[in-house]
PDB file of all heavy atoms in Angstrom:
ATOM      1  N   VAL A 239     174.852  76.784 -59.022  1.00 88.00           N
ATOM      2  CA  VAL A 239     176.152  76.821 -59.793  1.00 88.00           C
ATOM      3  C   VAL A 239     177.172  77.601 -59.009  1.00 88.00           C
ATOM      4  O   VAL A 239     178.393  77.164 -59.081  1.00 88.00           O
ATOM      5  CB  VAL A 239     175.859  77.522 -61.148  1.00 88.00           C
ATOM      6  CG1 VAL A 239     175.472  78.973 -60.993  1.00 88.00           C
ATOM      7  CG2 VAL A 239     177.110  77.342 -61.989  1.00 88.00           C
ATOM      8  N   PHE A 240     176.788  78.566 -58.182  1.00 89.00           N
ATOM      9  CA  PHE A 240     177.787  79.236 -57.295  1.00 89.00           C
ATOM     10  C   PHE A 240     178.247  78.344 -56.227  1.00 89.00           C
ATOM     11  O   PHE A 240     179.460  78.271 -55.883  1.00 89.00           O
ATOM     12  CB  PHE A 240     177.207  80.549 -56.764  1.00 89.00           C
ATOM     13  CG  PHE A 240     178.124  81.395 -56.021  1.00 89.00           C
ATOM     14  CD1 PHE A 240     179.018  82.246 -56.708  1.00 89.00           C
ATOM     15  CD2 PHE A 240     178.200  81.375 -54.657  1.00 89.00           C
ATOM     16  CE1 PHE A 240     179.889  83.024 -56.011  1.00 89.00           C
ATOM     17  CE2 PHE A 240     179.058  82.163 -53.915  1.00 89.00           C
ATOM     18  CZ  PHE A 240     179.932  83.018 -54.662  1.00 89.00           C
ATOM     19  N   LEU A 241     177.301  77.594 -55.634  1.00 86.00           N
ATOM     20  CA  LEU A 241     177.629  76.696 -54.507  1.00 86.00           C
ATOM     21  C   LEU A 241     178.670  75.705 -54.854  1.00 86.00           C
ATOM     22  O   LEU A 241     179.674  75.487 -54.056  1.00 86.00           O
ATOM     23  CB  LEU A 241     176.388  76.002 -54.021  1.00 86.00           C
ATOM     24  CG  LEU A 241     175.644  76.668 -52.793  1.00 86.00           C
ATOM     25  CD1 LEU A 241     174.350  75.895 -52.497  1.00 86.00           C
ATOM     26  CD2 LEU A 241     176.500  76.657 -51.534  1.00 86.00           C
ATOM     27  N   VAL A 242     178.449  74.934 -56.011  1.00 85.00           N
ATOM     28  CA  VAL A 242     179.390  73.889 -56.294  1.00 85.00           C
ATOM     29  C   VAL A 242     180.681  74.449 -56.856  1.00 85.00           C
ATOM     30  O   VAL A 242     181.694  73.554 -56.909  1.00 85.00           O
ATOM     31  CB  VAL A 242     178.755  72.938 -57.329  1.00 85.00           C
ATOM     32  CG1 VAL A 242     177.537  72.355 -56.794  1.00 85.00           C
ATOM     33  CG2 VAL A 242     178.497  73.677 -58.631  1.00 85.00           C
ATOM     34  N   MET A 243     180.878  75.684 -57.150  1.00 86.00           N
ATOM     35  CA  MET A 243     182.183  76.224 -57.654  1.00 86.00           C
ATOM     36  C   MET A 243     182.848  76.958 -56.581  1.00 86.00           C
ATOM     37  O   MET A 243     184.125  77.291 -56.845  1.00 86.00           O
ATOM     38  CB  MET A 243     181.908  77.048 -58.901  1.00 86.00           C
ATOM     39  CG  MET A 243     181.280  76.239 -60.013  1.00 86.00           C
ATOM     40  SD  MET A 243     182.305  74.948 -60.693  1.00 86.00           S
ATOM     41  CE  MET A 243     183.792  75.881 -61.245  1.00 86.00           C
ATOM     42  N   SER A 244     182.229  77.483 -55.546  1.00 85.00           N
ATOM     43  CA  SER A 244     182.732  78.449 -54.641  1.00 85.00           C
ATOM     44  C   SER A 244     183.993  78.094 -53.912  1.00 85.00           C
ATOM     45  O   SER A 244     184.830  78.814 -53.500  1.00 85.00           O
ATOM     46  CB  SER A 244     181.741  78.973 -53.691  1.00 85.00           C
ATOM     47  OG  SER A 244     181.295  77.901 -52.864  1.00 85.00           O
ATOM     48  N   HIS A 245     184.191  76.694 -53.737  1.00 86.00           N
ATOM     49  CA  HIS A 245     185.300  76.197 -52.939  1.00 86.00           C
ATOM     50  C   HIS A 245     186.405  75.597 -53.825  1.00 86.00           C
ATOM     51  O   HIS A 245     187.380  75.079 -53.327  1.00 86.00           O
ATOM     52  CB  HIS A 245     184.786  75.131 -51.944  1.00 86.00           C
ATOM     53  CG  HIS A 245     184.261  73.973 -52.667  1.00 86.00           C
ATOM     54  ND1 HIS A 245     182.946  73.978 -53.230  1.00 86.00           N
ATOM     55  CD2 HIS A 245     184.732  72.727 -53.000  1.00 86.00           C
ATOM     56  CE1 HIS A 245     182.631  72.852 -53.797  1.00 86.00           C
ATOM     57  NE2 HIS A 245     183.681  72.063 -53.612  1.00 86.00           N
ATOM     58  N   THR A 246     186.188  75.595 -55.219  1.00 87.00           N
ATOM     59  CA  THR A 246     187.209  74.929 -56.029  1.00 87.00           C
ATOM     60  C   THR A 246     188.423  75.827 -56.233  1.00 87.00           C
ATOM     61  O   THR A 246     188.435  76.997 -55.905  1.00 87.00           O
ATOM     62  CB  THR A 246     186.584  74.652 -57.370  1.00 87.00           C
ATOM     63  OG1 THR A 246     186.265  75.892 -58.130  1.00 87.00           O
ATOM     64  CG2 THR A 246     185.281  73.788 -57.288  1.00 87.00           C
ATOM     65  N   LEU A 247     189.488  75.274 -56.794  1.00 87.00           N
ATOM     66  CA  LEU A 247     190.689  76.057 -57.093  1.00 87.00           C
ATOM     67  C   LEU A 247     190.726  76.696 -58.414  1.00 87.00           C
ATOM     68  O   LEU A 247     191.760  77.362 -58.834  1.00 87.00           O
ATOM     69  CB  LEU A 247     191.968  75.162 -56.912  1.00 87.00           C
ATOM     70  CG  LEU A 247     191.997  74.334 -55.566  1.00 87.00           C
ATOM     71  CD1 LEU A 247     193.312  73.549 -55.586  1.00 87.00           C
ATOM     72  CD2 LEU A 247     191.726  75.122 -54.333  1.00 87.00           C
ATOM     73  N   MET A 248     189.657  76.570 -59.191  1.00 88.00           N
ATOM     74  CA  MET A 248     189.637  77.098 -60.437  1.00 88.00           C
ATOM     75  C   MET A 248     189.333  78.579 -60.555  1.00 88.00           C
ATOM     76  O   MET A 248     189.139  79.143 -59.516  1.00 88.00           O
ATOM     77  CB  MET A 248     188.494  76.307 -61.328  1.00 88.00           C
ATOM     78  CG  MET A 248     188.938  74.829 -61.542  1.00 88.00           C
ATOM     79  SD  MET A 248     187.693  73.847 -62.344  1.00 88.00           S
ATOM     80  CE  MET A 248     186.477  73.652 -61.010  1.00 88.00           C
ATOM     81  N   THR A 249     189.317  79.245 -61.698  1.00 86.00           N
ATOM     82  CA  THR A 249     189.231  80.651 -61.846  1.00 86.00           C
ATOM     83  C   THR A 249     187.780  81.156 -61.964  1.00 86.00           C
ATOM     84  O   THR A 249     187.742  82.466 -61.996  1.00 86.00           O
ATOM     85  CB  THR A 249     190.081  81.036 -63.004  1.00 86.00           C
ATOM     86  OG1 THR A 249     189.469  80.514 -64.274  1.00 86.00           O
ATOM     87  CG2 THR A 249     191.467  80.769 -62.948  1.00 86.00           C
ATOM     88  N   ASP A 250     186.862  80.411 -61.987  1.00 88.00           N
ATOM     89  CA  ASP A 250     185.472  80.891 -62.264  1.00 88.00           C
ATOM     90  C   ASP A 250     184.975  81.881 -61.195  1.00 88.00           C
ATOM     91  O   ASP A 250     184.582  82.960 -61.531  1.00 88.00           O
ATOM     92  CB  ASP A 250     184.528  79.683 -62.331  1.00 88.00           C
ATOM     93  CG  ASP A 250     184.934  78.625 -63.359  1.00 88.00           C
ATOM     94  OD1 ASP A 250     185.769  77.806 -63.044  1.00 88.00           O
ATOM     95  OD2 ASP A 250     184.467  78.689 -64.575  1.00 88.00           O
ATOM     96  N   VAL A 251     185.102  81.486 -59.895  1.00 92.00           N
ATOM     97  CA  VAL A 251     184.580  82.396 -58.918  1.00 92.00           C
ATOM     98  C   VAL A 251     185.531  83.522 -58.637  1.00 92.00           C
ATOM     99  O   VAL A 251     185.083  84.660 -58.461  1.00 92.00           O
ATOM    100  CB  VAL A 251     184.319  81.512 -57.599  1.00 92.00           C
ATOM    101  CG1 VAL A 251     183.958  82.507 -56.442  1.00 92.00           C
ATOM    102  CG2 VAL A 251     183.173  80.497 -57.816  1.00 92.00           C
ATOM    103  N   PRO A 252     186.851  83.375 -58.614  1.00 93.00           N
ATOM    104  CA  PRO A 252     187.652  84.538 -58.530  1.00 93.00           C
ATOM    105  C   PRO A 252     187.424  85.563 -59.586  1.00 93.00           C
ATOM    106  O   PRO A 252     187.445  86.721 -59.367  1.00 93.00           O
ATOM    107  CB  PRO A 252     189.117  83.906 -58.631  1.00 93.00           C
ATOM    108  CG  PRO A 252     188.979  82.545 -58.123  1.00 93.00           C
ATOM    109  CD  PRO A 252     187.620  82.062 -58.599  1.00 93.00           C
ATOM    110  N   ASN A 253     187.288  85.071 -60.867  1.00 93.00           N
ATOM    111  CA  ASN A 253     186.969  86.015 -61.876  1.00 93.00           C
ATOM    112  C   ASN A 253     185.630  86.761 -61.730  1.00 93.00           C
ATOM    113  O   ASN A 253     185.575  87.959 -61.823  1.00 93.00           O
ATOM    114  CB  ASN A 253     186.976  85.317 -63.321  1.00 93.00           C
ATOM    115  CG  ASN A 253     186.923  86.221 -64.483  1.00 93.00           C
ATOM    116  OD1 ASN A 253     187.597  87.262 -64.587  1.00 93.00           O
ATOM    117  ND2 ASN A 253     186.012  85.879 -65.337  1.00 93.00           N
ATOM    118  N   LEU A 254     184.673  86.101 -61.340  1.00 94.00           N
ATOM    119  CA  LEU A 254     183.382  86.632 -60.974  1.00 94.00           C
ATOM    120  C   LEU A 254     183.499  87.668 -59.883  1.00 94.00           C
ATOM    121  O   LEU A 254     182.958  88.717 -59.974  1.00 94.00           O
ATOM    122  CB  LEU A 254     182.336  85.528 -60.587  1.00 94.00           C
ATOM    123  CG  LEU A 254     180.998  86.061 -60.127  1.00 94.00           C
ATOM    124  CD1 LEU A 254     180.252  86.814 -61.222  1.00 94.00           C
ATOM    125  CD2 LEU A 254     180.161  84.918 -59.606  1.00 94.00           C
ATOM    126  N   ALA A 255     184.295  87.320 -58.859  1.00 95.00           N
ATOM    127  CA  ALA A 255     184.411  88.166 -57.703  1.00 95.00           C
ATOM    128  C   ALA A 255     185.102  89.529 -58.088  1.00 95.00           C
ATOM    129  O   ALA A 255     184.669  90.642 -57.705  1.00 95.00           O
ATOM    130  CB  ALA A 255     185.192  87.542 -56.607  1.00 95.00           C
ATOM    131  N   PHE A 256     186.103  89.427 -58.891  1.00 95.00           N
ATOM    132  CA  PHE A 256     186.893  90.640 -59.294  1.00 95.00           C
ATOM    133  C   PHE A 256     185.907  91.505 -60.258  1.00 95.00           C
ATOM    134  O   PHE A 256     185.991  92.723 -60.261  1.00 95.00           O
ATOM    135  CB  PHE A 256     188.196  90.230 -59.945  1.00 95.00           C
ATOM    136  CG  PHE A 256     189.191  89.665 -59.065  1.00 95.00           C
ATOM    137  CD1 PHE A 256     189.936  88.569 -59.407  1.00 95.00           C
ATOM    138  CD2 PHE A 256     189.348  90.201 -57.822  1.00 95.00           C
ATOM    139  CE1 PHE A 256     190.915  87.988 -58.603  1.00 95.00           C
ATOM    140  CE2 PHE A 256     190.258  89.603 -56.874  1.00 95.00           C
ATOM    141  CZ  PHE A 256     191.017  88.527 -57.385  1.00 95.00           C
ATOM    142  N   TRP A 257     185.166  90.834 -61.129  1.00 93.00           N
ATOM    143  CA  TRP A 257     184.301  91.560 -61.990  1.00 93.00           C
ATOM    144  C   TRP A 257     183.282  92.397 -61.115  1.00 93.00           C
ATOM    145  O   TRP A 257     183.070  93.557 -61.362  1.00 93.00           O
ATOM    146  CB  TRP A 257     183.419  90.454 -62.817  1.00 93.00           C
ATOM    147  CG  TRP A 257     183.870  90.289 -64.221  1.00 93.00           C
ATOM    148  CD1 TRP A 257     184.952  89.604 -64.631  1.00 93.00           C
ATOM    149  CD2 TRP A 257     183.274  90.757 -65.378  1.00 93.00           C
ATOM    150  NE1 TRP A 257     185.110  89.523 -65.968  1.00 93.00           N
ATOM    151  CE2 TRP A 257     184.042  90.192 -66.554  1.00 93.00           C
ATOM    152  CE3 TRP A 257     182.103  91.473 -65.707  1.00 93.00           C
ATOM    153  CZ2 TRP A 257     183.738  90.516 -67.824  1.00 93.00           C
ATOM    154  CZ3 TRP A 257     181.808  91.773 -67.021  1.00 93.00           C
ATOM    155  CH2 TRP A 257     182.512  91.212 -68.056  1.00 93.00           C
ATOM    156  N   LEU A 258     182.682  91.726 -60.199  1.00 95.00           N
ATOM    157  CA  LEU A 258     181.617  92.359 -59.448  1.00 95.00           C
ATOM    158  C   LEU A 258     182.229  93.446 -58.540  1.00 95.00           C
ATOM    159  O   LEU A 258     181.598  94.519 -58.398  1.00 95.00           O
ATOM    160  CB  LEU A 258     180.854  91.294 -58.551  1.00 95.00           C
ATOM    161  CG  LEU A 258     179.971  90.283 -59.310  1.00 95.00           C
ATOM    162  CD1 LEU A 258     179.455  89.238 -58.372  1.00 95.00           C
ATOM    163  CD2 LEU A 258     178.883  90.999 -60.019  1.00 95.00           C
ATOM    164  N   ALA A 259     183.349  93.222 -57.964  1.00 95.00           N
ATOM    165  CA  ALA A 259     184.007  94.171 -57.140  1.00 95.00           C
ATOM    166  C   ALA A 259     184.455  95.360 -57.983  1.00 95.00           C
ATOM    167  O   ALA A 259     184.200  96.573 -57.484  1.00 95.00           O
ATOM    168  CB  ALA A 259     185.198  93.592 -56.523  1.00 95.00           C
ATOM    169  N   SER A 260     184.899  95.245 -59.199  1.00 94.00           N
ATOM    170  CA  SER A 260     185.280  96.315 -60.023  1.00 94.00           C
ATOM    171  C   SER A 260     183.976  97.192 -60.412  1.00 94.00           C
ATOM    172  O   SER A 260     184.033  98.355 -60.270  1.00 94.00           O
ATOM    173  CB  SER A 260     185.951  95.811 -61.226  1.00 94.00           C
ATOM    174  OG  SER A 260     186.278  96.951 -62.195  1.00 94.00           O
ATOM    175  N   LEU A 261     182.979  96.437 -60.802  1.00 93.00           N
ATOM    176  CA  LEU A 261     181.779  97.169 -61.152  1.00 93.00           C
ATOM    177  C   LEU A 261     181.196  97.950 -60.031  1.00 93.00           C
ATOM    178  O   LEU A 261     180.691  99.027 -60.164  1.00 93.00           O
ATOM    179  CB  LEU A 261     180.710  96.079 -61.736  1.00 93.00           C
ATOM    180  CG  LEU A 261     180.964  95.483 -63.073  1.00 93.00           C
ATOM    181  CD1 LEU A 261     179.936  94.349 -63.308  1.00 93.00           C
ATOM    182  CD2 LEU A 261     180.860  96.574 -64.084  1.00 93.00           C
ATOM    183  N   ALA A 262     181.152  97.344 -58.816  1.00 92.00           N
ATOM    184  CA  ALA A 262     180.573  97.976 -57.600  1.00 92.00           C
ATOM    185  C   ALA A 262     181.408  99.207 -57.343  1.00 92.00           C
ATOM    186  O   ALA A 262     180.823 100.222 -56.976  1.00 92.00           O
ATOM    187  CB  ALA A 262     180.508  96.997 -56.405  1.00 92.00           C
ATOM    188  N   CYS A 263     182.677  99.131 -57.349  1.00 92.00           N
ATOM    189  CA  CYS A 263     183.534 100.301 -56.943  1.00 92.00           C
ATOM    190  C   CYS A 263     183.292 101.456 -58.021  1.00 92.00           C
ATOM    191  O   CYS A 263     183.161 102.590 -57.584  1.00 92.00           O
ATOM    192  CB  CYS A 263     185.005  99.918 -56.967  1.00 92.00           C
ATOM    193  SG  CYS A 263     185.453  98.966 -55.541  1.00 92.00           S
ATOM    194  N   PHE A 264     183.316 101.097 -59.312  1.00 90.00           N
ATOM    195  CA  PHE A 264     183.146 102.134 -60.339  1.00 90.00           C
ATOM    196  C   PHE A 264     181.730 102.787 -60.239  1.00 90.00           C
ATOM    197  O   PHE A 264     181.547 103.983 -60.385  1.00 90.00           O
ATOM    198  CB  PHE A 264     183.395 101.513 -61.689  1.00 90.00           C
ATOM    199  CG  PHE A 264     184.763 101.551 -62.145  1.00 90.00           C
ATOM    200  CD1 PHE A 264     185.668 100.592 -61.809  1.00 90.00           C
ATOM    201  CD2 PHE A 264     185.277 102.659 -62.891  1.00 90.00           C
ATOM    202  CE1 PHE A 264     186.973 100.616 -62.262  1.00 90.00           C
ATOM    203  CE2 PHE A 264     186.600 102.719 -63.263  1.00 90.00           C
ATOM    204  CZ  PHE A 264     187.452 101.720 -62.960  1.00 90.00           C
ATOM    205  N   LEU A 265     180.662 101.914 -59.961  1.00 89.00           N
ATOM    206  CA  LEU A 265     179.404 102.503 -59.896  1.00 89.00           C
ATOM    207  C   LEU A 265     179.203 103.398 -58.672  1.00 89.00           C
ATOM    208  O   LEU A 265     178.604 104.507 -58.824  1.00 89.00           O
ATOM    209  CB  LEU A 265     178.381 101.318 -59.793  1.00 89.00           C
ATOM    210  CG  LEU A 265     176.912 101.638 -60.120  1.00 89.00           C
ATOM    211  CD1 LEU A 265     176.778 102.227 -61.528  1.00 89.00           C
ATOM    212  CD2 LEU A 265     176.023 100.461 -59.882  1.00 89.00           C
ATOM    213  N   TRP A 266     179.658 103.015 -57.584  1.00 87.00           N
ATOM    214  CA  TRP A 266     179.617 103.827 -56.384  1.00 87.00           C
ATOM    215  C   TRP A 266     180.465 105.121 -56.558  1.00 87.00           C
ATOM    216  O   TRP A 266     179.947 106.252 -56.055  1.00 87.00           O
ATOM    217  CB  TRP A 266     179.970 103.070 -55.124  1.00 87.00           C
ATOM    218  CG  TRP A 266     178.903 102.288 -54.539  1.00 87.00           C
ATOM    219  CD1 TRP A 266     178.351 101.103 -55.090  1.00 87.00           C
ATOM    220  CD2 TRP A 266     178.257 102.425 -53.323  1.00 87.00           C
ATOM    221  NE1 TRP A 266     177.395 100.594 -54.288  1.00 87.00           N
ATOM    222  CE2 TRP A 266     177.259 101.425 -53.169  1.00 87.00           C
ATOM    223  CE3 TRP A 266     178.405 103.380 -52.321  1.00 87.00           C
ATOM    224  CZ2 TRP A 266     176.516 101.258 -52.086  1.00 87.00           C
ATOM    225  CZ3 TRP A 266     177.626 103.182 -51.112  1.00 87.00           C
ATOM    226  CH2 TRP A 266     176.622 102.190 -51.095  1.00 87.00           C
ATOM    227  N   ALA A 267     181.579 105.006 -57.219  1.00 87.00           N
ATOM    228  CA  ALA A 267     182.400 106.263 -57.418  1.00 87.00           C
ATOM    229  C   ALA A 267     181.623 107.180 -58.243  1.00 87.00           C
ATOM    230  O   ALA A 267     181.714 108.413 -58.077  1.00 87.00           O
ATOM    231  CB  ALA A 267     183.703 105.819 -57.988  1.00 87.00           C
ATOM    232  N   ALA A 268     181.076 106.681 -59.363  1.00 83.00           N
ATOM    233  CA  ALA A 268     180.436 107.485 -60.310  1.00 83.00           C
ATOM    234  C   ALA A 268     179.129 108.167 -59.792  1.00 83.00           C
ATOM    235  O   ALA A 268     178.820 109.260 -59.942  1.00 83.00           O
ATOM    236  CB  ALA A 268     180.147 106.807 -61.599  1.00 83.00           C
ATOM    237  N   GLU A 269     178.354 107.277 -59.106  1.00 80.00           N
ATOM    238  CA  GLU A 269     176.970 107.700 -58.709  1.00 80.00           C
ATOM    239  C   GLU A 269     177.031 108.662 -57.458  1.00 80.00           C
ATOM    240  O   GLU A 269     176.286 109.541 -57.290  1.00 80.00           O
ATOM    241  CB  GLU A 269     176.125 106.467 -58.388  1.00 80.00           C
ATOM    242  CG  GLU A 269     175.806 105.647 -59.622  1.00 80.00           C
ATOM    243  CD  GLU A 269     174.833 106.410 -60.577  1.00 80.00           C
ATOM    244  OE1 GLU A 269     174.081 107.274 -60.076  1.00 80.00           O
ATOM    245  OE2 GLU A 269     174.816 106.047 -61.753  1.00 80.00           O
ATOM    246  N   LEU A 270     177.918 108.297 -56.576  1.00 79.00           N
ATOM    247  CA  LEU A 270     178.025 109.083 -55.315  1.00 79.00           C
ATOM    248  C   LEU A 270     179.254 110.074 -55.209  1.00 79.00           C
ATOM    249  O   LEU A 270     179.411 110.701 -54.120  1.00 79.00           O
ATOM    250  CB  LEU A 270     178.083 108.120 -54.067  1.00 79.00           C
ATOM    251  CG  LEU A 270     176.937 107.103 -54.031  1.00 79.00           C
ATOM    252  CD1 LEU A 270     177.105 106.260 -52.812  1.00 79.00           C
ATOM    253  CD2 LEU A 270     175.612 107.851 -53.996  1.00 79.00           C
ATOM    254  N   GLY A 271     179.994 110.192 -56.292  1.00 78.00           N
ATOM    255  CA  GLY A 271     181.111 111.065 -56.358  1.00 78.00           C
ATOM    256  C   GLY A 271     182.255 110.708 -55.446  1.00 78.00           C
ATOM    257  O   GLY A 271     182.991 111.516 -55.008  1.00 78.00           O
ATOM    258  N   ARG A 272     182.410 109.392 -55.098  1.00 79.00           N
ATOM    259  CA  ARG A 272     183.529 108.974 -54.169  1.00 79.00           C
ATOM    260  C   ARG A 272     184.641 108.519 -55.076  1.00 79.00           C
ATOM    261  O   ARG A 272     184.872 107.344 -55.306  1.00 79.00           O
ATOM    262  CB  ARG A 272     182.992 107.845 -53.317  1.00 79.00           C
ATOM    263  CG  ARG A 272     181.905 108.264 -52.377  1.00 79.00           C
ATOM    264  CD  ARG A 272     181.386 107.207 -51.468  1.00 79.00           C
ATOM    265  NE  ARG A 272     180.246 107.503 -50.684  1.00 79.00           N
ATOM    266  CZ  ARG A 272     179.539 106.723 -49.814  1.00 79.00           C
ATOM    267  NH1 ARG A 272     179.916 105.492 -49.784  1.00 79.00           N
ATOM    268  NH2 ARG A 272     178.564 107.232 -49.127  1.00 79.00           N
ATOM    269  N   SER A 273     185.399 109.566 -55.583  1.00 82.00           N
ATOM    270  CA  SER A 273     186.431 109.280 -56.530  1.00 82.00           C
ATOM    271  C   SER A 273     187.566 108.300 -56.028  1.00 82.00           C
ATOM    272  O   SER A 273     188.159 107.592 -56.809  1.00 82.00           O
ATOM    273  CB  SER A 273     187.086 110.515 -56.973  1.00 82.00           C
ATOM    274  OG  SER A 273     186.152 111.400 -57.563  1.00 82.00           O
TER     275      SER A 273
END
């Protein structure tokens, strides 16, 4: 499902990317104290 959508112009993969990036940043900031 990621493969067939990753190159399209729609919002599915951009939205997923921003979701995961936000979660990763917040998690690392909270867990490792990197404010």
